[in-house]
Amino acid sequence: MAALEPRQVAVVTQPGASVYADEVEDGLREEALRVVRFDMAEGEVAKSWSTAGEILERLAGAEFHRDDVVVGVGGGVVTDTAGFVAATLLRGVRWIACPTTLLGALDAAIGGKTAVNLSAGKNLAGAFWQPAAVLVDTATFSTLPRREMVGGLAEALKYGFIDDPRILDIVGGWSQGEVQDPVHEVPDALEDVVARGMAVKARIVAEDEREGGLRAVLNYGHTLDHALETATAYRMSHGEAVSVGMVFAAELAHELGRIDADVVGLHRYVLRHVGLPVQAAESDVVAALPLMRRDKKATARGLRFVLLDGVGAPVIVEDVDEAMVRAAATRVTGRTQDL
Ligand SMILES: NC(=O)c1ccc[n+]([C@@H]2O[C@H](COP(=O)([O-])OP(=O)(O)OC[C@H]3O[C@@H](n4cnc5c(N)ncnc54)[C@H](O)[C@@H]3O)[C@@H](O)[C@H]2O)c1
């Protein structure tokens, strides 16, 4: 922090991360910096226009200066809000993301998309505003519920499939059976996976900050994911639905002759290995199919997907035939006859 030479630092956090924010705050005070602390309420509802307004008012009241710094300590809800506040305060001050969830570290904190929700929908008020630094301590993940941890691993494995196969090797080989608690059982491997995943996202975003083309490959597994999350009324978590979505994308690529069956098998193996689902209930998949058609990735003639031409070789495929989509969807339900 000393290198940034602020006078004051805003620390924004949330209930699940407040112990880590306390540590950050103590460290800043030891450096003789003035700290303005803001504890957001819990959950997605707190990522709101009114929260951002409250923080902005507090900081303006504390005479925050152009050289001062905003720090977000928490999950994606916190880093999205802290980044948005930093983007708008005094037309932009520097900010640092300290993600304390695996999803936050691998996705939300990297890439400079900041936003809050409006009543009409998610992330409707936002800005592209890159953090000055992203600082991750994987030890903070030790308090995450297992479902959050496993869900975050789905994003890490996504980076493995689209760009860095070494991630798949590390995770696939990190024990005979399922690892229950990666933070304690395989700390070095976890750190390596997180660093590699963050590097993949940072590199892709650096090449395509405003989502002109390449950045779309980050949506691998996400077309079915969004539809499944909606179809199950969020009974399936984001990570669980991305996992099934990636198996579906692999089946579709295989159906189109782009990848061999063993690459599809690798998806199932490595995702199952960390405790992620590789299929969903038939009724949920049936409900998700029409939603997928309404997805913004659909084109006039057919559906558009991020698929693989091999591990580490993502490709955007347009106008995919509906029959192929149904065939691939069948394979993530456990049914033998096509839907
Ligand atoms: N900006 C982007 O590019 C981007 C990308 C992906 C997701 N997002 C956003 O990220 C948000 C989701 O992120 P999230 O899953 O981190 O949600 P979140 O911030 O709500 O955190 C999930 C839960 O974990 C708790 N928590 C945080 N750190 C913890 C820890 N170390 N131990 C125990 N509990 C902890 C939180 O209090 C919360 O209950 C969404 O708002 C989404 O829109 C943004």
Side-chain angles (χ1 to χ4, degrees), residues 188-208:
D188 295 342
L190 179 67
E191 213 171 286
D192 199 7
V193 163
V194 173
R196 282 176 173 277
M198 290 170 69
V200 172
K201 178 151 185 200
R203 193 184 52 69
I204 291 174
V205 169
E207 283 179 43
D208 176 25

Side-chain angles (χ1 to χ4, degrees), residues 14-17 20 42-44 47 74-80 99-104 107-115 117 122-123 139-145 148 201 215 238:
Q14 69 191 150
Y20 307 115
E42 176 57 32
E44 187 69 34
K47 196 178 107 174
V77 157
V78 170
T79 52
D80 274 13
T100 60
T101 65
L102 188 53
L103 181 74
D107 197 356
I110 318 268
K113 277 190 187 175
T114 72
N117 304 324
K122 265 191 73 151
N123 299 327
T140 61
F141 304 152
S142 63
T143 45
L144 287 177
E148 295 268 351
K201 178 151 185 200
R215 197 167 174 160
H238 175 66

